[in-house]
Amino acid sequence: MSINRTHYEAVLAECCDALGAIALLKQYRPYLELLPSMRRPDESLITIPLPIVKFRHAASPSGSGGTGTEALCLPCDLAILMCDPEWKIKTGVEVFVFIHRPGEDFSDLLSRWRQTQVVLSRGYEWDLPLRYKHILSEGADNTYPLFVVFEETPERIKRGLKGAFLPFVVQQACDIAVEETIEPTVEVVSVDDAGS
């Protein structure tokens, strides 16, 4: 069975929610331990699907033009920003999730992480969701990748991630597909039953 778009979309949709992101982090314990509070885990992180970062540009040396900003969509699928639930501030830890996409080979998957590293090497700030606009959004010093592959992902990709010492978790695509295809059941009541 090969990976299809539904598998990718289902994992991305599940991880958009804080509880779904925590369930993902539970599969890779070293990252779960980065949560500031295990008592209030859902308040200890911000999830940003298909995240956007902003860069500030200083005035050019020739003196033409002022400062401006540039926005860029990162090539990762999800950013998980750790927050202190007590102080409501972002900590210095960010986890970048890369879900194996249909038709993507090892070099494509690894390139997305490398491109993310290059982009984040510049000073950046987050384009946070509206409900988190009050949080200081500057970038962090500690960035960590997490790759999500499926049982159906080719072994060469898993071997490549192991060889590059990059952490990954394996999702069961068949379970996701079953959830997506379950149809609601409708109870049919006959006229005789309704009257009694």
Side-chain angles (χ1 to χ4, degrees):
M1 180 179 170
S2 63
I3 298 166
N4 64 42
R5 186 85 184 169
T6 306
H7 301 148
Y8 166 80
E9 296 290 346
V11 171
L12 179 59
E14 186 68 29
C15 293
C16 287
D17 177 61
L19 296 178
I22 291 165
L24 180 66
L25 294 177
K26 282 181 179 175
Q27 295 178 60
Y28 189 70
R29 192 149 191 90
Y31 287 0
L32 181 66
E33 292 170 359
L34 296 173
L35 278 174
S37 171
M38 293 303 281
R39 288 189 198 142
R40 294 161 50 186
D42 55 327
E43 296 177 34
S44 294
L45 56 82
I46 298 172
T47 58
I48 309 174
L50 307 176
I52 296 172
V53 291
K54 296 179 194 172
F55 306 97
R56 292 204 186 284
H57 296 292
S60 64
S62 63
S64 62
T67 60
T69 58
E70 171 193 359
L72 183 67
C73 188
L74 291 176
C76 65
D77 300 298
L78 182 76
I80 302 174
L81 314 180
M82 302 300 176
C83 296
D84 184 314
E86 205 61 44
W87 293 96
K88 308 290 185 197
I89 57 170
K90 193 171 80 59
T91 67
V93 176
E94 299 170 352
V95 176
F96 297 89
V97 178
F98 299 87
I99 304 167
H100 181 214
R101 295 174 177 172
E104 191 172 48
D105 214 330
F106 175 64
S107 61
D108 304 315
L109 186 59
L110 183 59
S111 288
R112 291 201 287 134
W113 166 233
R114 297 300 183 222
Q115 289 167 15
T116 301
Q117 287 178 293
V118 170
V119 170
L120 299 179
S121 67
R122 301 158 59 184
Y124 65 96
E125 61 184 54
W126 289 100
D127 184 8
L128 292 172
L130 190 58
R131 67 183 285 201
Y132 299 111
K133 288 291 185 188
H134 63 283
I135 293 178
L136 184 65
S137 62
E138 288 183 7
D141 295 329
N142 300 318
T143 57
Y144 303 94
L146 180 61
F147 294 85
V148 178
V149 296
F150 301 94
E151 287 183 341
E152 295 78 9
T153 294
E155 283 303 313
R156 69 179 171 274
I157 294 177
K158 296 173 189 173
R159 272 197 318 271
L161 292 170
K162 276 183 192 172
F165 299 100
L166 293 168
F168 68 92
V169 297
V170 180
Q171 292 285 349
Q172 297 193 5
C174 54
D175 292 345
I176 297 164
V178 168
E179 289 176 19
E180 292 290 318
T181 57
I182 294 175
E183 294 182 21
T185 56
V186 177
E187 186 178 333
V188 179
V189 178
S190 68
V191 177
D192 294 338
D193 293 341
S196 57

